[in-house]
Amino acid sequence: MPLGIHHVGVAVDDLDAAIERYAALFDATVEHRERVDEQGVEAASLRVGASRIELLAPLGPDTPVGRFLAKRGPGMHHVAFEVADVSVELERLRAEGAQLIDEEPRHGMFGLEVAFVHPEATGGVLAEFVGNG
């Protein structure tokens, strides 16, 4: 079961400009920045107090975040839940009949495992599991 909210993901057109905006408006500080080719993004994890925002800029128009921006524009992309074991959570949701995007965990920021759950399973919000195993 989820341990809590790990981060909220926000799709942006310009990562550097978004980092500056979040720093100025919310006193956010960059915790980590990484290019994640497997997901087609350059991402920055920002700390806002004890919470975390993940800014996602597409590496191209034919990537999941690129298509999201073309269809919806910049804005909230997903909510990520911290879990002890991503594989166990995927199996639990699969047994409950939830629609998954990822059948197996994949590489995410910080070297953590991640997996996405289809918005149809959650009432319209893309969900992500983030865990160490």
Side-chain angles (χ1 to χ4, degrees), residues 82-93:
E82 183 175 2
V83 297
D85 188 313
V86 176
S87 294
V88 168
E89 291 304 316
L90 288 174
E91 187 58 38
R92 182 180 66 80
L93 288 186

Side-chain angles (χ1 to χ4, degrees), residues 10-34 42-48 53-57 109:
V10 178
V12 301
D13 291 315
D14 182 328
L15 188 57
D16 291 323
I19 290 169
E20 288 180 25
R21 184 170 41 256
Y22 275 74
L25 294 175
F26 309 116
D27 198 30
T29 57
V30 175
E31 173 184 36
H32 183 73
R33 186 169 176 163
E34 182 177 341
E42 183 173 3
S45 176
L46 280 65
R47 295 303 296 217
V48 181
I53 302 286
E54 184 179 86
L55 302 177
L56 306 160
M109 284 185 67

Side-chain angles (χ1 to χ4, degrees), residues 36-47:
V36 186
D37 290 315
E38 181 180 336
Q39 295 181 31
V41 297
E42 183 173 3
S45 176
L46 280 65
R47 295 303 296 217

Side-chain angles (χ1 to χ4, degrees), residues 72-122:
R72 296 181 183 92
M76 192 178 109
H77 182 260
H78 66 272
V79 175
F81 297 89
E82 183 175 2
V83 297
D85 188 313
V86 176
S87 294
V88 168
E89 291 304 316
L90 288 174
E91 187 58 38
R92 182 180 66 80
L93 288 186
R94 190 178 297 111
E96 292 180 16
Q99 186 175 356
L100 304 175
I101 291 174
D102 295 313
E103 293 294 325
E104 298 292 328
R106 55 180 154 147
H107 169 78
M109 284 185 67
F110 303 103
L112 298 174
E113 288 189 335
V114 302
F116 287 89
V117 180
H118 199 282
E120 288 186 14
T122 63

